[in-house]
Amino acid sequence: MHDIRCGRRHLLLGGAASLIGLATTPAIARAKRSRTVVDGLAGLGAPVEVLEDRWGVPHVRAASIPDAFFANGFLVARDRLWELDFGHRQSLGRLAEVFGADFVESDTASRLFLFRGDAAAELARFSPQVQDCARAYVAGINAYLARLRADPDLLPPEFRIFDYKPLDWDVLDLIRIRAEATGNTEAEIRRARLAAQGGLALDGLIMPLQPAHDLSVPNGLDVHAVSEKDLGLFGVLQNPPSLSRAALPDDTRHRRMNSGSNAWVIAPSRTATRRPILANDPHLGFGMPGPRYVIHLSAPGLDVIGGGTAGMPGVMQGHNGHIAFGRTNFHIDQEDLFILRTHPAHPDRYFHDGAWKSMETLHTRIAVRGEADRDVTLRYAAQGPVVSTDPARHRATAVSATWLYPGANGLLVNIGLNLAHDWDTFREALRVHTSPTNFTYADTTGNIGWQAAGGLPSRADGHDGLLPAPGDGRYDWKGLQPLEMLPSTFNPARGWFGTSNEMNLPPGYPAQERRVSFEWRDAFRYNRVAEVLQALPRASVADCVALQHDTLSRLALDVVGLLPAVPTDLAQEAAMLRGWNGRVEADSPAAALYEVWWTHLERALYALLIPAHLRDILPGPIDAAVQLALLRTPDARFGTAPEAVRDTMMIDALRQAVAELRQRLGPVRAAWRWGALHTITLHHPLAHIPDISTQFPQIGGATTGTGGDSYTVMARWYNPLAKHHAPYIATGGASYLMVCDVGAWDNSVFLNFPGQCGDPRSPHYADFMPVWLKGQMQPLTFSAHRVRAAAVGRVTLQPGEKS
């Protein structure tokens, strides 16, 4: 999946490059070139050997499973400390004490959505082994922080520039931190506002509902009273303030709309090796460093390798000795807004189940750098946290969220997943998983499978979750539905399974009854994956690598096929498009022309179909599949001569595209290149601070072009509606890619753009960028003898004296 927590941290920092964590201090960098011993580590049970390969990937060899997770925490803190600490502070609501009053509201929102139950009891729900691993991971982080206290010169520059220290960790933080907002509540507000304007039917242009479903206003909801203010602190949680002055307009919404992934798994009956193959390439915003941290954890009873993330123990996408696992975004509507009627004389009382009830209140104090502390009151209703209050209008808004329920957890699931050894233990590990995720699976006995996972609410009759509901008790949730209510398949008859965030509820699934979701990504990427896999009688690892880098756009070919006869002055450009193979390659002039043309078409269709007075409610873009359908079969919305209007629109958009390309790339058509527009630039999110910009040089830039777009399997997004001078820059896509040869693990390959580390003094700051741009996958070395043969550095972690 796209890791909503990691995605949220990217959104907070903003900009074309998001998070950066300091990778290695000079002392650690030297350790990578020699044999080094780090001793006196409190919480470590026995010595741990860490072998590091040419890419800076640590291969951990520990005497016990908890010690392996101790090393996991220690190494993530070593390589990603600023990222780790920033994300931790954000989640706990402790940014204002470092960055000032601008973050008080963000801190308030984060604290409002911390788990309020018995955290110790929640931790005790897990097996003793998982608990021990969680404690060891936190101990590893704290052990590295202790080293920094002993030698403050090792602190990454960000801490010195802002003059603050990283936070110590508590294992119960991994229970309390829950917020994984998906953004559906913004759509609830949008639909209510549209309903108030009589424009609810237009919502389907932006988000067509799948399966087909009729929108209706819940009985008792006053849509005329609903506004974006009702989102309150939940809107802050989803769209937090940015530290970066370079944040792109519309960046938060754009990234959230595009985050996704591809994953597929192929049975032995359809592979060249007669072993399963599992492929996965999660799509998140590009940044420094990338969203995944690759690590290999080994101990008696554990041997797992793959991509993880800072602050979350273990591996998210990868394999152990028995199974391989991948993930993409599934879609579950996990949050609902409830409009409360509050008492005119007592704003903290609300009407519920036929009586006035008092909100629960919690008082907290937020430290603010350079100012007095702020005392803040957090409020809770029967449905959940109260995110906005409007005493003058006698109303408030509460949020129900699946991830706040007891038994749900987003941070410890990897531990059980990494220890799973078959389909049953794999699925059992997913019971606590909160984020909506497609999990793909393969094992060494030849089985493949798919399990959708995540918190699934049980809604009251008459409520589909697509608009806010009255908070008087009629529409309150009835709890969560069990994992078995979500779809899955084991050894599908066709011999493969794929997912690319499309609507994948299987035929016969009771979608209207269970109300999983009606909001999904378009199916362009999935359809291309299915087309290729179905045509491969015997797929190989190389075939899967090629598919991950596939740039063929069926959308583009379909749109080009609708191009009408053009005036003479556009004949050569039209011929360029008609002769194009539909591959969105970096060096393709036709791809550049198509992408700019498509951008102008999107803007023209939006202007035609969305009334001016509703454009602040429906910011666009129109769904791509809807646009294609309308271009194929224009209707009365195009006027009395729909096809003629459509043809004129396409010609006008092409003329505008040609003029733009001449202005941007010059008059010579052969010199146009998609990669000249679709460039990648990575920089520290605090690059506007001179000390930061000096120490952290920009990576990429105008000469670093790439292919792909939002609709190719090799997803490389851009924001066509962005209101800035470079709308075609690549802002996200697959930075971590993996193909696993299940059972012959050393044949597995990966990429992790731009590198393991974020310190420019490290050789692993951006060493993956050249091979990533060329699609040159690297060995995901696994067996002990291959790991030792590939090692270029060794670090031994030694425990401290036992008290």
Side-chain angles (χ1 to χ4, degrees), residues 215-334:
L215 282 172
S216 60
V217 176
N219 185 32
L221 177 67
D222 180 4
V223 293
H224 297 279
V226 175
S227 74
E228 290 186 344
K229 292 181 180 179
D230 290 324
L231 274 177
L233 291 170
F234 203 57
V236 176
L237 196 72
Q238 297 172 85
N239 302 287
S242 172
L243 282 174
S244 175
R245 294 177 185 167
L248 300 177
D250 307 317
D251 187 60
T252 297
R253 182 173 178 272
H254 161 67
R255 287 173 183 266
R256 190 165 57 237
M257 285 175 60
N258 281 280
S259 292
S261 306
N262 302 312
W264 58 86
V265 60
I266 310 173
S269 61
R270 295 186 65 98
T271 67
T273 62
R274 300 292 182 172
R275 294 184 295 270
I277 295 175
L278 183 144
N280 193 195
D281 54 301
H283 306 160
L284 290 167
F286 292 149
M288 287 294 301
R292 293 292 176 262
Y293 180 78
V294 181
I295 194 165
H296 183 185
L297 304 175
S298 295
L302 172 72
D303 199 4
V304 65
I305 190 170
T309 191
M312 189 177 184
V315 168
M316 300 179 69
Q317 288 116 336
H319 70 80
N320 59 30
H322 306 281
I323 70 171
F325 45 92
R327 58 173 71 192
T328 74
N329 283 357
F330 186 61
H331 292 265
I332 303 176
D333 184 353
Q334 295 191 310

Side-chain angles (χ1 to χ4, degrees), residues 119-410:
E122 286 288 293
L123 180 62
R125 287 174 178 254
F126 290 90
S127 71
Q129 186 175 51
V130 170
Q131 294 181 54
D132 289 346
C133 292
R135 292 189 178 95
Y137 179 82
V138 168
I141 293 173
N142 289 335
Y144 186 74
L145 298 182
R147 285 175 53 78
L148 295 180
R149 284 191 292 271
D151 188 356
D153 290 340
L154 296 178
L155 269 174
E158 295 95 336
F159 294 99
R160 296 197 297 272
I161 290 168
F162 282 96
D163 190 26
Y164 74 101
K165 300 293 191 295
L167 293 174
D168 284 332
W169 285 49
D170 184 325
V171 69
L172 294 183
D173 292 340
L174 301 181
I175 301 296
R176 297 186 186 101
I177 294 171
R178 293 292 184 92
E180 299 189 55
T182 61
N184 164 267
T185 49
E186 291 181 346
E188 293 184 28
I189 296 291
R190 181 184 75 222
R191 295 187 183 106
R193 294 180 65 199
L194 285 173
Q197 297 284 335
L200 189 54
L202 291 173
D203 193 72
L205 295 173
I206 304 297
M207 178 56 69
L209 300 183
Q210 304 175 73
H213 181 75
D214 292 329
L215 282 172
S216 60
V217 176
N219 185 32
L221 177 67
D222 180 4
V223 293
H224 297 279
V226 175
S227 74
E228 290 186 344
K229 292 181 180 179
D230 290 324
L231 274 177
L233 291 170
F234 203 57
V236 176
L237 196 72
Q238 297 172 85
N239 302 287
S242 172
L243 282 174
S244 175
R245 294 177 185 167
L248 300 177
D250 307 317
D251 187 60
T252 297
R253 182 173 178 272
H254 161 67
R255 287 173 183 266
R256 190 165 57 237
M257 285 175 60
N258 281 280
S259 292
S261 306
N262 302 312
W264 58 86
V265 60
I266 310 173
S269 61
R270 295 186 65 98
T271 67
T273 62
R274 300 292 182 172
R275 294 184 295 270
I277 295 175
L278 183 144
N280 193 195
D281 54 301
H283 306 160
L284 290 167
F286 292 149
M288 287 294 301
R292 293 292 176 262
Y293 180 78
V294 181
I295 194 165
H296 183 185
L297 304 175
S298 295
L302 172 72
D303 199 4
V304 65
I305 190 170
T309 191
M312 189 177 184
V315 168
M316 300 179 69
Q317 288 116 336
H319 70 80
N320 59 30
H322 306 281
I323 70 171
F325 45 92
R327 58 173 71 192
T328 74
N329 283 357
F330 186 61
H331 292 265
I332 303 176
D333 184 353
Q334 295 191 310
E335 301 132 13
D336 282 342
L337 296 176
F338 292 90
I339 308 300
L340 309 176
R341 177 162 66 95
T342 58
H343 195 285
H346 304 284
D348 281 354
R349 301 184 71 190
Y350 64 104
F351 194 76
H352 185 263
D353 284 344
W356 291 103
K357 296 182 178 178
S358 296
M359 298 177 187
E360 296 180 55
T361 58
L362 176 66
H363 301 284
T364 185
R365 176 167 291 186
I366 296 177
V368 183
R369 186 164 192 166
E371 299 183 17
D373 293 353
R374 305 281 181 90
D375 291 321
V376 173
T377 299
L378 309 178
R379 295 174 173 84
Y380 302 87
Q383 296 88 356
V386 175
V387 295
S388 70
T389 59
D390 189 348
R393 294 198 298 160
H394 317 311
R395 57 188 278 121
T397 308
V399 170
S400 288
T402 61
W403 29 268
L404 289 176
Y405 272 66
N409 184 272

